[in-house]
Amino acid sequence: MKAPIKIFAGSNSEHLAAKIAEAAGLSVGESSIIRFSDGEFETAYEETVRGAHVFIVQSTYPPADNLMELLLMIDAAKRASAYKVCAVIPYFGFARQDRKDRPRVAIGAKLVANLLMAAGVDRVMTMDLHADQIQGFFDVPVDHLYGSSVLLPYVEELKLDNLVVASPDMGGSKRAHAYAKYLHADMAICHKRREKANVVGEMTAIGEVDGKNVVIVDDMIDTAGTITKAADMLKEKGAKSVRAIASHAVLSGPAYERIENSSLEEVIFTNSIPLKEESSKIKSLSIADIFAKTILNVYNCESISSNFIL
């Protein structure tokens, strides 16, 4: 007898989990969280998971509490005799800490991988990791999905002429090149110099943008300092229009205000992280279908590569 499939939601991803479950023809399982006055909390399943293939949907942003909740849910499922437990983490927090880039710092992404495996996770499903090598931090299978599956069709529907795909920095050039190749577009790179974390100094463009419709591609937008500075610089260099697409709407601090006051015509995200407020320039596209298909493919031991565009 095949193990039943069950989808559960962490408190930060209830809306996305409901959409994923609906797309998969399932319903979200019953779970609860009890919060104590000192900040401690306790998770519990309100239905049996014995012998079940359990998928727990939880983006870890903000990272600390949501990661801890995910760890507790994994542990609870394993102790309740779940057959397999898969952590579905559309946005993987601490992914920017993927290496020691200066002395005496932690490799946060590796620590998170160790914590997930210590909790008993059997598989991880995520999307657009900040660094691909994070997959190698795990000793369990990692299904790495791509926001391009929903972002690229949106760009195609715009039917922009003289299209240029731009990377906001040198580190994103591989991603921008893949998007440009798929869209048969030219490519540009915004070269920046950071003064310190989340603070951008001087910026210039490598590539022709005069009279072009530019789409800046990134994996996440945090404070929006880089992306808005890049958009303003590209407009100054003669770009006809500037848009941005990114998988993860971290949008902390002054991000919403910066986007609203920038030269960006629109910014398109996936719904891996719920938007904190509305903006006339910000649009969110659902990734529920691609995660639902991948969950069902994994459950049925089928290939997931057909779900990718790039």
Side-chain angles (χ1 to χ4, degrees):
M1 181 179 176
K2 192 172 183 179
I5 180 173
K6 296 199 174 189
I7 296 177
F8 292 92
S11 57
N12 189 49
S13 298
E14 291 176 347
H15 183 65
L16 177 56
K19 287 182 173 291
I20 291 172
E22 182 182 3
L26 303 167
S27 58
V28 177
E30 292 293 327
S31 61
S32 63
I33 180 167
I34 300 172
R35 299 187 183 276
F36 302 100
S37 59
D38 65 349
E40 185 181 332
F41 51 85
E42 176 185 87
T43 62
Y45 295 97
E46 302 300 331
E47 61 183 75
T48 182
V49 295
R50 183 177 297 274
H53 202 146
V54 174
F55 293 84
I56 306 168
V57 182
Q58 175 80 312
S59 282
T60 52
Y61 177 82
D65 279 0
N66 288 303
L67 174 60
M68 191 65 195
E69 183 183 332
L70 175 60
L71 293 170
L72 289 171
M73 292 185 75
I74 294 168
D75 185 71
K78 296 297 286 189
R79 293 179 187 278
S81 300
Y83 168 63
K84 295 284 186 183
V85 179
C86 175
V88 181
I89 314 173
Y91 172 74
F92 188 95
F94 293 100
R96 283 174 282 189
Q97 299 179 45
D98 63 298
R99 65 196 183 281
K100 283 192 69 174
D101 54 356
R102 57 192 178 91
R104 298 175 297 280
V105 297
I107 304 179
K110 172 58 176 170
L111 176 60
V112 171
N114 289 346
L115 290 169
L116 288 165
M117 289 189 294
V121 76
D122 295 294
R123 191 181 200 97
V124 172
M125 193 177 296
T126 187
M127 186 179 76
D128 279 330
L129 289 167
H130 189 66
D132 287 345
Q133 66 264 24
I134 292 173
Q135 297 173 72
F137 293 172
F138 290 89
D139 293 326
V140 296
V142 176
D143 299 309
H144 188 206
L145 310 184
Y146 298 93
S148 57
S149 300
V150 296
L151 296 171
L152 279 173
Y154 181 87
V155 175
E156 286 182 302
E157 289 173 6
L158 295 174
K159 300 187 184 302
L160 299 171
D161 57 354
N162 296 319
L163 177 63
V164 169
V165 175
S167 171
D169 52 33
M170 299 297 290
S173 58
K174 180 181 177 182
R175 180 184 299 105
H177 178 264
Y179 276 59
K181 183 178 179 181
Y182 179 86
L183 294 167
H184 306 290
D186 293 328
M187 179 180 162
I189 298 175
C190 302
H191 178 65
K192 66 182 178 181
R193 177 179 59 81
R194 279 201 186 275
E195 295 180 349
K196 56 183 179 179
N198 286 337
V199 178
V200 181
E202 298 175 359
M203 180 175 283
T204 187
I206 303 171
E208 181 59 48
V209 297
D210 187 23
K212 307 288 188 178
N213 289 301
V214 182
V215 176
I216 306 172
V217 178
D218 210 349
D219 64 322
M220 70 173 73
I221 296 177
D222 188 353
T223 61
T226 297
I227 215 84
T228 54
K229 194 176 183 71
D232 294 342
M233 179 270 295
L234 291 167
K235 286 290 285 187
E236 289 172 5
K237 290 188 175 293
K240 185 177 178 182
S241 69
V242 183
R243 292 171 172 81
I245 58 175
S247 293
H248 308 300
V250 177
L251 300 181
S252 63
Y256 283 91
E257 181 181 355
R258 284 175 172 171
I259 290 172
E260 201 66 37
N261 296 329
S262 73
S263 300
L264 287 163
E265 291 204 7
E266 62 178 344
V267 185
I268 302 95
F269 296 102
T270 74
N271 60 344
S272 64
I273 299 173
L275 295 174
K276 293 185 282 291
E277 56 187 86
E278 296 294 325
S279 171
S280 60
K281 289 189 175 184
I282 296 176
K283 183 179 180 67
S284 179
L285 304 178
S286 178
I287 51 173
D289 284 348
I290 183 174
F291 271 93
K293 289 177 184 176
T294 306
I295 285 171
L296 292 176
N297 287 152
V298 167
Y299 176 67
N300 292 313
C301 300
E302 297 172 350
S303 171
I304 68 169
S305 59
S306 60
N307 297 331
F308 304 150
I309 288 182
L310 296 180

